[in-house]
Amino acid sequence: MGGLQLLPETRKKIEVKLPGQNRFLVFSFIILALTLGLYFILLTYRQSLFSTLSSIDDQLVDLEKSRNKELETRLLGLNKQLTVVNPLISSHFFWSEAFIKIQSLVQPQVQFTSVSADALGKKMIINAVAANYTVIARQIASFYTVDSLTDIILNKVQSQPTGQVELTMQLFFDSNKFLMKK
């Protein structure tokens, strides 16, 4: 192989450096441009948040000016009163319904002269006038047909000069059945 050889046996890499071509500097400028862009985007977003906050603050001031504080105080007082009254109303006795039940059981020949009721004692005292003793017996029997009346006591029976019979009776009741609305 001793002849003329035009190609070198080993290749060497030739690096050519051009002046001004610095990759680190270009990369730094790209990072700087991205950072500045992000900064201006965040600055614009911050400005829009502050303007929204200012608008909401103005709306709150207008709302505060339109409030009627005296009416609000009265409404709060009413609300407190209703929280006290609501349990009473929900457990309210319905005497009108109880009287309707009693009225439906009264015999036509019996007239009440007075009625007194005691919810805590769970009793009702009735003073009445009946036509005769048979009517009284029918009256007591009609009261026993109601399951909400637990006991009936005939306290006084007295004949009147008019031929009628005066009576006093006590009706004992279960308040859960007799007085509560169903």
Side-chain angles (χ1 to χ4, degrees):
M1 312 199 23
L4 180 65
Q5 197 168 11
L6 295 173
L7 293 173
E9 288 189 24
T10 59
R11 284 186 157 181
K12 289 187 176 180
K13 184 177 178 183
I14 302 175
E15 289 187 27
V16 178
K17 281 194 169 188
L18 296 175
Q21 185 180 6
N22 193 348
R23 290 183 185 181
F24 180 71
L25 187 60
V26 171
F27 183 69
S28 298
F29 278 125
I30 291 172
I31 296 294
L32 181 65
L34 289 175
T35 305
L36 287 175
L38 183 63
Y39 174 76
F40 285 116
I41 289 172
L42 289 177
L43 188 65
T44 306
Y45 182 66
R46 178 179 175 247
Q47 203 60 9
S48 72
L49 286 179
F50 277 128
S51 67
T52 305
L53 180 64
S54 175
S55 169
I56 291 172
D57 192 36
D58 291 341
Q59 289 175 358
L60 283 175
V61 167
D62 290 341
L63 182 64
E64 184 68 27
K65 287 179 183 176
S66 69
R67 285 177 52 195
N68 186 348
K69 292 183 181 182
E70 180 184 332
L71 178 63
E72 288 178 9
T73 304
R74 288 181 20 213
L75 286 175
L76 286 173
L78 177 65
N79 190 23
K80 287 179 184 178
Q81 290 173 353
L82 286 178
T83 57
V84 171
V85 172
N86 278 341
L88 293 175
I89 291 173
S90 65
S91 64
H92 178 68
F93 291 130
F94 291 91
W95 281 105
S96 58
E97 290 190 21
F99 288 130
I100 290 171
K101 287 178 189 177
I102 294 293
Q103 181 183 5
S104 68
L105 297 172
V106 174
Q107 296 294 310
Q109 296 174 329
V110 174
Q111 296 177 349
F112 286 179
T113 57
S114 70
V115 175
S116 65
D118 179 12
L120 296 176
K122 298 180 182 181
K123 69 178 177 178
M124 185 179 291
I125 299 172
I126 298 173
N127 293 319
V129 176
N132 54 39
Y133 289 102
T134 308
V135 173
I136 294 173
R138 281 192 221 135
Q139 183 61 60
I140 293 172
S142 70
F143 283 151
Y144 271 120
T145 62
V146 179
D147 64 339
S148 57
L149 294 175
T150 57
D151 195 12
I152 300 165
I153 297 175
L154 186 61
N155 290 337
K156 172 184 157 189
V157 178
Q158 182 178 1
S159 293
Q160 296 293 318
T162 60
Q164 294 180 327
V165 180
E166 183 181 343
L167 65 113
T168 302
M169 70 172 64
Q170 292 181 2
L171 305 176
F172 293 92
F173 53 83
D174 180 3
S175 60
N176 292 330
K177 294 179 182 178
F178 191 66
L179 295 177
M180 294 296 189
K181 183 171 185 160
K182 293 179 183 177

